Amino acid sequence: MLPLIIPIGALLAGVSLLLLGSGLLNTLLALRGGLEAYADNTMGFIMSGYFIGFIVGTFIALPLIHRIGHIRSFAFCAAVVSCSVLLHELFVNPYVWMALRIMTGSMLVILYTVIESWLSSQTPSLQRGRVFAVYMIVNLVSLTIAQQLLRLDSPAAFTLFAISAMLISISLVPVTWTRLSQPIVNDITRLSFRSLYKTAPVAVAGGALSGLSMGAFWGMAAVYAGRVGFDSHNVANFMSCAILGGAALQYPLGRYSDSHDRRKVLALVAVCAGLAALLLVFIPQGDKRLMLAIAVYGGLAFAVYPLAIAHLNDHLETKNILAGCSALLLMHAIGAAVGPAIAGQLMALIDHNALPLYFAIIQFSLALFTLWKIRQQQKDSPTDSAVHFVPMVRTTPTALEMLPEDEEIVVEPEQR
């Protein structure tokens, strides 16, 4: 494994620093917004801005990289994001923050696309699965450490914004220092949502509803943690527990789904995630058992989108996998853009407990839809899945090129 990682070490170091900075900023803004007395619905709209930017950036990333190359694209976007981070502190205004989140989201997606397309081009086909696994580990570890950086100072101070900006800026060093040849990025063929739904409706529902859920989690979970009485240190622990829960359960749940009807596993995971979300409502405020509950919820909820991807891949021809996964990712991003705004409105109308209730409604809705689709085809006998589950957290369409191919993937539209 070491000889495989050393050549791409600079790229992994770059994305690690990038995630440290962006992961810190995401939670920092939620805490700072609370200190500025922003209403929950206002914070929801602000945090939705990142995912709106994600959608925009998905469409402009490849044209920009084609025009100026990987290294210059990375430098261009990192400079913009670093300035954007500092502008949050200079202009403490919800409308400005919303615009900055859109800008940050679009630029970060381009940065991730640069790294992921580069990693994909440098990875031999027989080693793509291992490289993708290492890349996901880097994602999880970096996001977890990023939460703990909140301990360095108060969210009201300039320090954490400066650290976030510096981490994003310093991510330029390993990327611009590398001697790896810059790849040629091919345009991504897209599939329509209609054809995607016709092929695997459960996968489409899983992708969209997971977006609604995870967008609200990344945007509003830190706000929720502050509302239940946690200080900034425990907010960091709360977020870290959810991420680590996702890291712990994705692989075993995914491997279990490889040998069972993936739809039934997805329904079971969604039901359990909904129940775990309801636990958050009944545990007293400030109780450390909330940490355990969010870890269980994160472990289950983080697995929904990868399960949906795996189920989709079960029913796509090999040549259509990248296009299908890209379309599902876009649907996931649309859901993620709407999720924080909806959750924020509900929290403003009810109270902080509206967030776990929102999570529960989303997860139970997914389970009910999945069971309904299974019942529609009761005559179909479940078969083993055609492809293997691959854990994932946050990614762009180009990272999906690193997913290991399976020559036996066939279209099976009858099992939906």
Side-chain angles (χ1 to χ4, degrees), residues 296-333:
V296 174
Y297 174 77
L300 295 163
F302 273 58
V304 170
Y305 178 65
L307 284 170
I309 286 283
H311 176 61
L312 177 64
N313 288 347
D314 291 341
H315 304 290
L316 290 175
E317 294 180 6
T318 303
K319 64 181 181 180
N320 291 328
I321 285 180
L322 180 57
C325 291
S326 298
L328 193 65
L329 176 63
L330 180 58
M331 182 165 288
H332 179 84

Side-chain angles (χ1 to χ4, degrees), residues 206-402:
L209 292 174
S210 174
L212 286 169
S213 173
M214 296 312 299
F217 169 79
W218 290 116
M220 301 302 294
V223 175
Y224 167 83
R227 295 285 190 272
V228 298
F230 288 146
D231 59 19
S232 59
H233 292 177
N234 280 316
V235 169
N237 292 334
F238 184 83
M239 296 297 290
S240 295
C241 284
I243 297 169
L244 291 174
L249 292 186
Q250 265 200 62
Y251 187 83
L253 287 173
R255 286 309 182 194
Y256 179 77
S257 77
D258 285 343
S259 56
H260 295 78
D261 185 343
R262 195 103 61 186
R263 298 167 303 169
K264 292 182 179 178
V265 177
L266 185 59
L268 178 62
V269 167
V271 168
C272 293
L275 293 174
L278 289 178
L279 280 177
L280 293 167
V281 178
F282 297 104
I283 297 175
Q285 292 190 23
D287 195 310
K288 292 300 178 66
R289 287 177 295 177
L290 288 167
M291 302 289 185
L292 177 60
I294 196 63
V296 174
Y297 174 77
L300 295 163
F302 273 58
V304 170
Y305 178 65
L307 284 170
I309 286 283
H311 176 61
L312 177 64
N313 288 347
D314 291 341
H315 304 290
L316 290 175
E317 294 180 6
T318 303
K319 64 181 181 180
N320 291 328
I321 285 180
L322 180 57
C325 291
S326 298
L328 193 65
L329 176 63
L330 180 58
M331 182 165 288
H332 179 84
I334 293 171
V338 177
I342 296 175
Q345 289 284 1
L346 292 174
M347 291 172 71
L349 289 172
I350 306 173
D351 58 21
H352 59 274
N353 282 322
L355 184 64
L357 289 173
Y358 169 84
F359 289 154
I361 291 170
I362 294 295
Q363 299 297 340
F364 289 145
S365 298
L366 175 58
L368 287 173
F369 178 84
T370 303
L371 293 173
W372 173 59
K373 295 305 294 184
I374 292 173
R375 181 164 182 156
Q376 275 191 330
Q377 288 128 11
Q378 286 181 343
K379 293 182 180 180
D380 296 340
S381 52
T383 59
D384 288 346
S385 300
V387 298
H388 293 298
F389 174 90
V390 180
M392 58 179 64
V393 187
R394 173 223 47 81
T395 187
T396 69
T398 51
L400 299 171
E401 296 175 354
M402 285 185 284

Side-chain angles (χ1 to χ4, degrees), residues 73-86:
S73 294
F74 196 94
F76 173 88
C77 295
V80 173
V81 175
S82 294
C83 291
S84 175
V85 171
L86 298 176

Side-chain angles (χ1 to χ4, degrees), residues 3-23:
L4 174 65
I5 299 305
I6 289 176
I8 59 174
L11 302 181
L12 294 175
V15 78
S16 177
L17 292 166
L18 193 59
L19 285 163
L20 285 170
S22 63

Side-chain angles (χ1 to χ4, degrees), residues 24-47 88-89 91-98 101 150 154-157 160-161 218-227 232 235 347:
L24 170 61
L25 176 65
N26 190 65
T27 308
L28 173 59
L29 289 180
L31 294 175
R32 180 60 179 271
L35 295 178
E36 298 296 335
Y38 290 165
D40 289 338
N41 56 345
T42 300
M43 284 304 303
F45 283 113
I46 291 171
M47 303 310 276
H88 284 89
E89 174 67 11
F91 299 97
V92 184
N93 178 282
Y95 298 104
V96 175
W97 277 20
M98 175 72 172
R101 288 304 285 163
L150 291 166
S154 167
L160 294 177
F161 288 95
W218 290 116
M220 301 302 294
V223 175
Y224 167 83
R227 295 285 190 272
S232 59
V235 169
M347 291 172 71

